Amino acid sequence: MSSFLNPQYKELEVYTPGEQPQDMKYIKLNTNESPYPPSNGVLEAINSNQAELLRLYSDPECKALRKAIAQLYKVETDNIYLSNGSDDILNFAFMAYTGKNRPAVFPEISYGFYKVFAELYGTPYEAIPLRQDFSIDYKDYMGLNKFIVIANPNAPTGLCLSVKEVEEIVSSNPKSVVVIDEAYVDFGGESCYPLINKYNNLLVVQTFSKSRSMAGARLGFAIASKEIIEDLNRIKFSTNPYNVNRLTLVAGEMAIKDNDYYMENCQKIIDTREFTTKQLEALGFYVIPSKSNFVFAKSNKISGEELYNRLKAQGVLVRHFNTEKIKDFNRITIGTMDDMKTFISTVKKILEEI
Ligand code: PMP
């Protein structure tokens, strides 16, 4: 840290992303990427003609892709906002709606970035504990009239609130924005975006990083009332008007055209998740029933940390969080069926060794 840094940032506890090893090849089940490649349409669309056009700035309004997403989700183009990954929308939402006198609320065990954003903006926050079974009690979030952000399905648990429960939260907090982070919704959850037609305080955030195999392209989108989209644009046009690059816009449009391909992949991932869950249970694991592209599981024979380390030594990367309440667990991204068979046999081998 330099002595030049604004003191307000000196104490920040930054977000630690999952490992992205650049040295050896792992079976990578640690950052919830898709094991399937982008569609052929996407691969063909980002060609040398598009690369040549990189000399020109991208469309700051991202009109074509916003229109394509709006058509798929049956909302207006003005209800859509695009970003450089959905983290960017979460960041902008905290910037726009929270601050010293504008507290934030989120589940205690959830996506780790919420706390980081709150601290970045000097926002007081309340992290509400989950129930004993790791589920969220929607009643804890009713009538707070504070900025609320909830991942649904939640991460790293994979558990969901129903749309009805989300509606109770949104309708009982009319004076504040409620963000529903649906990064994992395509793996069996139910999106609450249709509620934007009824509630102007709901901000739904989704991403192309998981179900649409584009984590490296950095593309997220928001679905919300026109007023909220205007707020996000105010921040975008005050920071980085060309926040989505040309190649990503082209890839995104093609991914929307090839929606069926991605939804078939989601179904494969769901089937592989159910297989993985059963196999882990047969090995004595407790597995939280997941609606995401990962499972959160704990063994009755080996600690979370030791399993993580031993798997890594055998070339399988999973995610371990060294936080008291969840340190017995590992979060395991669902890969291809072959990946998961290797994962299961590696776990079996480890359990036999100890
Ligand atoms: N929300 C949740 C719950 C996540 O797990 C992630 C992935 N780390 C994100 C948002 C951000 O994803 P991205 O910026 O790649 O869209």
Side-chain angles (χ1 to χ4, degrees), residues 15 85-87 90 111 114 151 155 181 183-184 207 209-210 218:
Y15 177 71
S86 60
D87 281 338
L90 298 169
Y111 184 33
Y114 305 150
D181 177 352
Y184 301 104
T207 179
S209 293
K210 320 288 178 184
R218 314 303 303 127

Side-chain angles (χ1 to χ4, degrees), residues 45-81:
I46 41 176
N47 54 27
S48 59
N49 288 344
Q50 289 301 330
E52 269 180 38
L53 289 172
L54 284 176
R55 69 189 180 79
L56 300 173
Y57 284 109
S58 56
D59 172 14
E61 291 192 26
C62 308
K63 215 44 191 280
L65 179 53
R66 280 173 49 227
K67 196 166 158 209
I69 295 176
Q71 278 172 352
L72 180 64
Y73 288 85
K74 299 191 174 55
V75 295
E76 301 289 320
T77 306
D78 289 347
N79 295 126
I80 303 289
Y81 170 85

